Amino acid sequence: MIVAANFKTNLTRKKTLNYLGALESILKEKNISQEVLVFPATSSLDEHEGLVTVGAQNAYATFNGAFTGEIGQEQLDEFGIKTILIGHSERRHVLGETQEELVTKFNFYKELGFKIVYCVGEPLEIRESGNEIMMKYISAQYEGIDTEYENLTIAYEPVWAIGTGLTPTLDDIQTVHQALKAKSKAPLLYGGSVKVANVEEVLSIENVDGVLVGGASLIAQDFAKMCEIAQEIENKE
Ligand code: PGA
């Protein structure tokens, strides 16, 4: 299973370092062999060795150059970062990244062999428009994306479930995941208000290969607990 933490614009460089130290020691102590990814804020990126893979929440499709406010491959290389999150709903809906821009970014980092966690998901009004419209909307987020890329992980995150405490029913998650698995065999994570209290039921759904956790990942002990639960489920299977 894959357990991923997206810090968004939270924690400082120092707090991130402390967090990773605490997380690594719990994962070691509990014998966790699941894939654990952490996406800190850009200013907290650093070299990291251990069970956890540190990735970037975003980067521009360039080695370097004149792109004020952005970072490129050169800045990621400094810290040995080879994992990136692309298409998160906040980048799509708050920062206004278009599908075309995301495809350019995807292809750039794919060429470099990066592990890409590519996010898809529908806003509430689309979900409320019915299954057909919703699946059409999500399908458009696959346009231009190489769904057979060997280093691809996909995260399904309904926009209305992110940071709201709301989650779709387990049946709804299962239905969407089943449909998305038909589009790509890549590991498929669920994200949106996942926390210690619900991670077990989410991870037990068929075709859920892991979780992408935002708010509830900010406390190392809580996130470690979710990794532990993932390990227990894997051990049972
Ligand atoms: P949340 O965020 O867990 O705070 O809902 C998930 C995400 O945006 O990846």
Side-chain angles (χ1 to χ4, degrees), residues 5 27 35 39 42 50 58 63 82 93 125 149 171 180 208:
L27 297 183
E35 185 173 350
F39 296 93
T42 302
N58 180 46
F63 177 67
K82 294 287 272 177
H93 301 292
E125 68 273 18
Y149 175 45
D171 278 351
L180 297 187
V208 172

Side-chain angles (χ1 to χ4, degrees), residues 5 9 27 29 48 71 75 92 101 106 109 135 147 174 201 203 216 225 236-237:
T9 317
L27 297 183
E29 185 196 322
H48 179 78
I71 61 161
Q75 287 75 38
R92 291 180 191 267
E101 286 165 333
F106 185 98
Y109 285 100
M135 287 318 296
T147 53
Q174 181 164 3
E201 54 186 28
L203 285 173
K225 185 76 199 157
K236 265 192 244 158
E237 279 171 2

Side-chain angles (χ1 to χ4, degrees), residues 1-2 156 158 166-171 173-174 177 188-213 226 229-230 233 237:
M1 297 221 168
I2 302 169
Y156 168 60
L166 301 170
T167 42
T169 66
L170 301 182
D171 278 351
I173 298 175
Q174 181 164 3
H177 271 239
L188 183 57
L189 316 183
Y190 169 78
S193 296
V194 175
K195 48 186 187 269
V196 173
N198 65 10
V199 72
E200 185 173 358
E201 54 186 28
V202 171
L203 285 173
S204 302
I205 302 171
E206 208 184 330
N207 288 322
V208 172
D209 303 308
V211 283
L212 178 55
V213 190
M226 293 185 241
I229 292 169
I233 293 173
E237 279 171 2

Side-chain angles (χ1 to χ4, degrees), residues 138-152:
I138 301 173
S139 292
Q141 297 175 325
Y142 279 72
E143 266 166 33
I145 298 299
D146 177 2
T147 53
E148 289 177 13
Y149 175 45
E150 71 272 13
N151 231 343
L152 171 65

Side-chain angles (χ1 to χ4, degrees), residues 6 8 88 90 157 161-163 192-194 212-215:
N6 174 13
K8 310 189 180 188
H88 189 276
E90 283 143 23
E157 301 199 299
I162 296 178
S193 296
V194 175
L212 178 55
V213 190

Side-chain angles (χ1 to χ4, degrees), residues 5-193:
N6 174 13
F7 290 177
K8 310 189 180 188
T9 317
N10 293 297
L11 305 187
T12 59
R13 188 174 191 78
K14 199 170 168 188
K15 283 180 183 162
T16 300
L17 193 67
N18 291 341
Y19 180 108
L20 287 170
L23 179 60
E24 285 287 357
S25 68
I26 306 173
L27 297 183
K28 223 163 149 189
E29 185 196 322
K30 305 275 181 192
N31 259 325
I32 306 294
S33 59
Q34 304 308 294
E35 185 173 350
V36 180
L37 308 175
V38 171
F39 296 93
T42 302
S43 59
S44 304
L45 290 178
D46 209 340
E47 270 178 75
H48 179 78
E49 267 181 42
L51 296 166
V52 176
T53 300
V54 171
Q57 290 175 20
N58 180 46
Y60 203 65
T62 189
F63 177 67
N64 59 20
F67 305 100
T68 301
E70 295 285 335
I71 61 161
Q73 187 208 340
E74 186 179 17
Q75 287 75 38
L76 298 180
D77 279 354
E78 182 181 14
F79 303 124
I81 307 282
K82 294 287 272 177
T83 301
I84 187 166
L85 202 60
I86 294 179
H88 189 276
S89 80
E90 283 143 23
R91 302 245 20 121
R92 291 180 191 267
H93 301 292
V94 183
L95 285 311
E97 276 186 51
T98 63
Q99 185 64 17
E100 208 184 347
E101 286 165 333
L102 294 172
V103 168
T104 302
K105 197 173 278 195
F106 185 98
N107 288 336
F108 183 85
Y109 285 100
K110 176 192 142 188
E111 282 307 306
L112 296 166
F114 270 58
K115 172 186 267 298
I116 298 175
V117 179
Y118 181 72
C119 306
V120 299
E122 81 291 349
L124 189 56
E125 68 273 18
I126 298 292
R127 168 157 296 238
E128 287 173 343
S129 308
N131 209 43
E132 201 177 315
I133 289 176
M134 179 179 80
M135 287 318 296
K136 217 168 145 191
Y137 183 95
I138 301 173
S139 292
Q141 297 175 325
Y142 279 72
E143 266 166 33
I145 298 299
D146 177 2
T147 53
E148 289 177 13
Y149 175 45
E150 71 272 13
N151 231 343
L152 171 65
T153 293
I154 296 173
Y156 168 60
E157 301 199 299
V159 181
W160 52 274
I162 296 178
T164 57
L166 301 170
T167 42
T169 66
L170 301 182
D171 278 351
D172 284 344
I173 298 175
Q174 181 164 3
T175 305
V176 177
H177 271 239
Q178 192 178 348
L180 297 187
K181 271 287 179 169
K183 292 181 178 296
S184 171
K185 298 274 168 283
L188 183 57
L189 316 183
Y190 169 78
S193 296

